[in-house]
Structure formats: C-alpha cells, structure tokens
Amino acid sequence: MAFRGPLCRLLRKQLNTTCQNRKHSVAVLGAPFSKGQKRRGVEHGPKAMRDAGLIERLSNLDYPVHDFGDLSFQHLEKDEPYMNVHFPRTVGCANKLLSGAVSNAVGGGHTTVVLGGDHSLAIGSVDGHARHCPDLCLIWVDAHADINTPLTSPSGNLHGQSVAFMLKELQNKMPELPGFNWMKPFLSAKDLVYIGLRDVDPGEHYILKELGVQYFTMRDIDRLGIQRVMEVTFDHLLSRKQRPIHLSFDIDAMDPSLAPATGTPVNGGLTYREGIWITEEIHNTGLLSVMDLVEVNPALGASREAVENTASMAVDVIASSLGQTREGSPIAQTQTLKDDTELLRL
C-alpha cells in the first residue's frame, strides 16, 4: 500500500533529517599523567570524571560512546632536568603515545575527548588531531597562557609550555629538548584563541603581543560579555573557512569556587554560566572535533565535596561541548517517527 498526503511527506522529511543529522560517535581517552608539573594527584583526574558520571551523561545525549580506557604511560627512572625543564623525556614520550592514540581515534571517525592529566598533554592531543586535520583551529580556555618557552619559563614545568611546542612562529625560539624529536610545530598563531586568561607570565605576555595572538582576559570578558567574546572568537577563526575545532579546556579557567580541586587555581575565573556558554556555542558550530579536559586533581580538594564539585563541573563542560543544553531535551526524533507510524496505522 502506498501512502500519500501531508503525513507521508512529513515522515519522509523526518527520515531524511535523521540521516543528515546523524551524530558522530564519541571516543573517550583517559590520560592519567602528572609529570608536566610537580603536584601529585592529577593523574587521577580521568577516574574522578568517570566516577562523576561522564560516560552515562554522554550516553544520554544519544551518541554512540566508546570509552577506550586509560593510556599506560612510561615513567623513566632517569630523567634529569634539561635547561631547567623538568621530566622532558617522560613528558615527550607520553605525548608521543597520546598523539598516536588521538590520531587513531580521529581517523576512526570519532569526536574525541581526552581526559587529563595535566595540560602538558595538549602537546600530543593537538598534534595527533593535526595529523588528520592540518587546518584545525585551537580554542584554549585557561587561566594561564601556557606559552612559555624553556627559556622564559619561571618554573620549568612543561604544562606551562604546551602551546610553545605547537607554534610555527616559535620554532627558532625552542631548544631541542630530549624526548621531543618526534614532533615539529604545526600551528600558526592566527589559528589560536585564548579565553579566560588572568595569570600570564611576563615572557608569555611578550610572546602574545609579539605574535599578535587573539586572547581574551577575564577583564575582556567582564567588559564585552561572553556572548561577544565568542562572536569575535568565531569570526577570527572561522570567517575564512569552516574547519575543525580543537578545544583545550583547563578546569582552572573556572572560578575556584566552582572547581577548587586543581593545581593552580586563580580567583576571578569564569562563572558557571560563562563556562557553559563557551562550550554550548562551540557545539553549535558543529565543528568540534577533539577536546581536552585537564587539571582535575582529586588530591588537592580540601574535602570530598570539593573534589566532587570539581569533577562534576568538568563533566558539565564536556557534556555541553557535545550537545547537552540548559533548555531541556527535545522529543527524540525516533520517538516522533514512532508516533507518526502509529498514526499511519490508524
């Protein structure tokens, strides 16, 4: 029996829309790594986020979710500082492993979520992404710029130098560190935007100005509002062409009242609504390809509640990046199709 009329046209339209809007699968990679800084405990960040219900939350968004577990990182017994840089070989080796894992996940067609671990892991995460998407752009949400070089870093911690390894413009400023001979700079300064800065070292400030990097401090967010900040961000990164977005989100971008269990908290951070607005708007572009959520450190929570609040904040950030909204869930298209089928039978 052939069906005709408005209801049949509606059914065909909804079937076509379902095919066109088919969601990509999500790959979750745990990266329990802490050697990019000196505070122990951040290696337990992936477990804290999973324990806070991350996988269940993502599954509720109607994505096929593949949790590939945690990567196993090698910790070298002998890894002496080089030019005041701590654990260069261990960090380099870990990022090489992560780069391969992210590359495999992206190549497999997954939207990829990397659970840190400290922010030095972004070196491998963005590098692996760039292997498949060399035209990607990077949105770095953080209280810190993480763009020190080994020559400008006050601490020698590699989680504060991640971006410097990526930028082509800094290639001649970066000494050859042991452990990093596997990678080359792949990102241009014009393809990077910072959001949430409020603790920038003098050397970093000089680099940002010298390279003309687009960045928004918390003062800029106060002055412009988060909606305008995101409009300018997308105009800067996407006006020339639509391309994959890599979101690297340090939980210390949020105000410490919301995410206290982290290694380098700085007062005056993003409110809940500002943080979620950022991630909702990135999701709305339809261009998010890989995201990192880093620096959740359960060992630094003053109480169990502080740890749970931080992990819950991280889960909210990830879920909103992948489509969770604050306006309620619409009726699933599959349910609508089922209801229309029942009407056809009547």
Side-chain angles (χ1 to χ4, degrees):
M1 178 178 178
F3 292 103
R4 297 180 176 85
L7 188 57
C8 188
R9 288 194 294 272
L10 175 63
L11 180 59
R12 284 198 300 268
K13 180 180 179 181
Q14 289 176 332
L15 285 169
N16 290 336
T17 302
T18 301
C19 294
Q20 293 168 2
N21 293 342
R22 186 179 295 153
K23 294 181 175 68
H24 296 292
S25 59
V26 174
V28 177
L29 297 174
F33 186 78
S34 64
K35 292 297 185 178
Q37 46 84 66
K38 297 175 183 176
R39 292 177 179 268
R40 298 296 300 273
V42 72
E43 68 273 18
H44 302 302
K47 182 179 186 302
M49 287 181 267
R50 289 190 179 97
D51 288 348
L54 173 64
I55 305 304
E56 293 81 358
R57 185 84 69 84
L58 297 185
S59 298
N60 289 337
L61 296 176
D62 203 27
Y63 285 103
V65 179
H66 306 276
D67 185 354
F68 290 104
D70 290 347
L71 296 172
S72 180
F73 296 111
Q74 181 182 9
H75 296 281
L76 304 176
E77 292 185 8
K78 294 184 178 181
D79 192 359
E80 298 299 321
Y82 185 87
M83 296 183 65
N84 194 41
V85 174
H86 304 292
F87 308 113
R89 299 161 191 84
T90 301
V91 175
C93 182
N95 275 288
K96 183 179 181 180
L97 178 64
L98 179 58
S99 176
V102 170
S103 178
N104 289 338
V106 173
H110 302 296
T111 300
T112 304
V113 178
V114 177
L115 309 177
D118 70 65
H119 217 166
S120 69
L121 293 164
I123 299 170
S125 178
V126 186
D127 179 87
H129 189 185
R131 293 189 193 184
H132 285 277
C133 306
D135 61 339
L136 66 78
C137 57
L138 175 60
I139 300 177
W140 195 273
V141 183
D142 200 328
H144 311 89
D146 296 347
I147 199 171
N148 272 304
T149 71
L151 301 175
T152 67
S153 172
S155 69
N157 294 329
L158 280 166
H159 76 158
Q161 305 176 42
S162 307
V163 179
F165 283 87
M166 306 176 198
L167 291 183
K168 298 175 184 177
E169 291 88 346
L170 292 178
Q171 186 168 9
N172 295 331
K173 307 292 184 183
M174 296 290 291
E176 294 185 7
L177 291 185
F180 286 90
N181 59 358
W182 57 274
M183 73 165 297
K184 295 181 179 179
F186 52 85
L187 188 72
S188 297
K190 69 179 187 306
D191 299 325
L192 166 67
V193 172
Y194 286 100
I195 300 173
L197 297 181
R198 56 191 185 277
D199 186 11
V200 178
D201 294 326
E204 293 179 306
H205 187 266
Y206 175 82
I207 292 171
L208 292 174
K209 292 295 186 181
E210 183 72 12
L211 300 185
V213 175
Q214 177 71 69
Y215 64 88
F216 298 96
T217 65
M218 286 309 303
R219 177 176 172 81
D220 295 323
I221 293 172
D222 291 341
R223 178 172 57 88
L224 297 171
I226 196 63
Q227 178 178 349
R228 181 57 181 157
V229 164
M230 295 311 297
E231 289 171 352
V232 176
T233 295
F234 294 141
D235 183 65
H236 180 79
L237 295 175
L238 304 175
S239 62
R240 298 186 299 276
K241 63 176 179 178
Q242 302 290 288
R243 54 202 177 130
I245 294 173
H246 190 114
L247 170 62
S248 203
F249 200 113
D250 189 322
I251 200 64
D252 74 21
M254 305 303 299
D255 191 79
S257 62
L258 298 168
T262 189
T264 50
V266 185
N267 287 330
L270 295 168
T271 66
Y272 184 92
R273 292 163 67 181
E274 288 168 340
I276 298 302
W277 181 276
I278 291 168
T279 50
E280 286 177 341
E281 290 300 288
I282 290 173
H283 170 75
N284 288 341
T285 67
L287 297 171
L288 179 65
S289 180
V290 178
M291 77 170 295
D292 318 313
L293 198 295
V294 298
E295 300 287 358
V296 173
N297 190 331
L300 298 180
S303 64
R304 181 176 179 179
E305 182 182 15
V307 174
E308 291 175 350
N309 287 346
T310 305
S312 178
M313 184 74 248
V315 170
D316 286 353
V317 166
I318 296 170
S320 61
S321 298
L322 294 171
Q324 176 180 286
T325 69
R326 291 174 287 171
E327 59 190 30
S329 300
I331 298 175
Q333 288 183 343
T334 53
Q335 182 62 44
T336 304
L337 292 173
K338 180 180 178 181
D339 292 345
D340 285 342
T341 302
E342 293 299 325
L343 286 172
L344 285 173
R345 289 173 179 165
L346 293 175

